[in-house]
């Protein structure tokens, strides 16, 4: 695991955008795994400005998002589908049929999960997978206690995630769906060739320390990343402040 401490959030966004840009420049039909939440928003802004500057062409790129709330239609204002279109897709030249996000309101949700997993397999896996991290150590919506062998499936959100995500639902936790579809830990570990985990702010400091330095345990789902052979963590100084072992910290 390589850990880069960015100077600040804008730096974190630039560094992660460079990884995506280099990937797409080397492979026009790259498969990108994308995440939602506040953390990657600046990365997406950077990618939009790189696209506008003619530095990156998304016309052959394929995307898979990590997760989606169950029960929300793609056009629901708080769906991750809507989020991704607003923050990235509508501003770049990605082909609509190259975009994959689980359909949260599919009445056959279990079948949706199986098909999603199969689509990633058929695409040949994910070249760069962007991850955020929950303050409880979750990745995607794989909450503490998630089995490391699980694939894309229906998951139940933890109380802390419901509280943390209420800010996107006008601050009312009652409005946050209790269930979601998420790529599983096994999906992420097996299909991702390069995992880039972004963490910003002191509320992520405990999770980052446990992810990198604690035991590999389902109680901290992100700790499994210690066993992946190509992980780059990009953290701002506040998210990195509790790391004790500085030997794996990398210069930019
Ligand atoms: C959500 C998403 C995760 C994301 C996490 C952190 O629960 N399902 O994929 O990493 O929140 O979000 P933020 O970046 O807003 O802290």
């Amino acid at each position: 695991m390589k850990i880069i401490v960015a100077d600040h959030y804008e730096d974190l966004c630039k560094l992660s955008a460079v990884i995506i840009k280099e990937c797409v420049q080397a492979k026009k039909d790259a498969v990108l795994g994308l995440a939602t939440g506040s953390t990657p928003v600046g990365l997406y802004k950077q990618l939009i400005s790189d696209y506008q500057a003619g530095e990156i062409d998304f016309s052959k790129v394929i995307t898979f998002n990590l997760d989606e709330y169950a029960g929300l239609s793609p056009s629901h204002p708080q769906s991750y589908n809507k989020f991704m279109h607003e923050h990235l897709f509508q501003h770049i030249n990605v082909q609509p049929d190259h975009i994959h996000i689980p359909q949260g309101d599919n009445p056959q949700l279990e079948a949706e999960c199986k098909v999603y997993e199969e689509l990633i397999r058929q695409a040949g896996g994910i070249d760069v997978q962007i991850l955020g991290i929950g303050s409880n150590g979750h990745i995607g919506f794989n909450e503490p206690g998630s089995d490391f062998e699980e694939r894309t499936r229906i998951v139940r959100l933890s109380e802390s995630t419901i509280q943390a995500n209420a800010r996107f639902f006008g601050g009312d936790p009652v409005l946050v769906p209790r269930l979601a579809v998420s790529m599983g830990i096994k999906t992420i570990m097996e299909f991702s060739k390069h995992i880039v985990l972004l963490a910003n702010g002191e509320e992520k400091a405990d999770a980052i320390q446990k992810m990198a330095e604690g035991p590999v345990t389902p109680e901290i789902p992100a700790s499994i990343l210690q066993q992946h052979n190509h992980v780059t963590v990009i953290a701002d100084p506040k998210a990195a402040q509790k790391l004790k072992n500085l030997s794996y910290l990398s210069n930019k």
Side-chain angles (χ1 to χ4, degrees):
M1 180 179 291
K2 171 169 154 184
I3 302 185
I4 299 171
V5 182
D7 296 340
H8 38 62
Y9 179 65
E10 290 70 30
D11 190 33
L12 175 159
C13 299
K14 283 206 171 109
L15 292 168
S16 49
V18 167
I19 295 176
I20 293 203
K21 204 159 68 173
E22 287 180 353
C23 170
V24 174
Q25 282 166 350
K27 185 181 175 196
K28 279 186 132 328
D29 57 350
V31 181
L32 302 179
L34 300 176
T36 51
S38 311
T39 314
V41 168
L43 158 65
Y44 298 150
K45 273 197 187 129
Q46 183 63 46
L47 289 175
I48 293 165
S49 81
D50 290 347
Y51 164 69
Q52 288 168 344
E55 293 172 15
I56 182 165
D57 171 18
F58 290 95
S59 62
K60 296 204 161 55
V61 166
I62 294 169
T63 70
F64 286 93
N65 262 76
L66 274 172
D67 46 19
E68 177 60 286
Y69 290 111
L72 300 196
S73 71
S75 60
H76 188 284
Q78 273 77 42
S79 73
Y80 283 164
N81 192 308
K82 189 89 176 161
F83 177 99
M84 287 307 301
H85 280 83
E86 278 174 5
H87 290 282
L88 182 64
F89 298 146
Q90 72 188 39
H91 308 284
I92 59 173
N93 66 336
V94 63
Q95 302 301 304
D97 61 339
H98 288 183
I99 295 169
H100 302 88
I101 304 176
Q103 191 192 321
D105 65 346
N106 185 338
Q108 310 292 329
L109 210 49
E110 283 187 19
E112 172 81 18
C113 297
K114 288 207 169 67
V115 169
Y116 201 70
E117 188 79 18
E118 191 48 34
L119 287 172
I120 304 173
R121 186 186 305 280
Q122 283 170 13
I126 293 168
D127 293 299
V128 176
Q129 174 67 57
I130 300 295
L131 292 181
I133 185 167
S135 47
N136 63 3
H138 77 221
I139 47 176
F141 269 134
N142 295 286
E143 298 283 26
S146 293
D147 190 325
F148 289 153
E149 296 303 311
E150 292 279 14
R151 294 190 172 273
T152 303
R153 70 201 186 290
I154 302 168
V155 294
R156 181 165 291 280
L157 304 197
S158 71
E159 199 45 44
S160 70
T161 298
I162 291 168
Q163 295 296 334
N165 289 5
R167 69 189 194 280
F168 293 111
F169 291 80
D172 187 352
V174 172
L175 299 178
V176 181
R178 270 38 190 171
L179 300 178
V181 169
S182 180
M183 280 189 205
I185 301 273
K186 186 85 172 179
T187 317
I188 296 167
M189 289 293 284
E190 194 181 285
F191 285 146
S192 310
K193 293 163 199 166
H194 183 187
I195 293 174
V196 178
L197 184 142
L198 308 177
N200 185 54
E202 61 186 344
E203 63 278 14
K204 302 296 170 68
D206 276 322
I208 287 295
Q209 193 276 329
K210 288 179 182 153
M211 172 206 66
E213 299 178 339
V216 175
T217 163
E219 288 318 307
I220 304 292
S223 64
I224 190 70
L225 301 179
Q226 292 175 31
Q227 294 179 0
H228 191 281
N229 62 10
H230 194 185
V231 176
T232 307
V233 176
I234 309 180
D236 82 323
K238 287 187 175 158
Q241 67 188 347
K242 294 198 173 160
L243 289 168
K244 300 182 184 85
N245 176 356
L246 302 182
S247 65
Y248 46 56
L249 292 184
S250 155
N251 289 325
K252 284 183 254 165

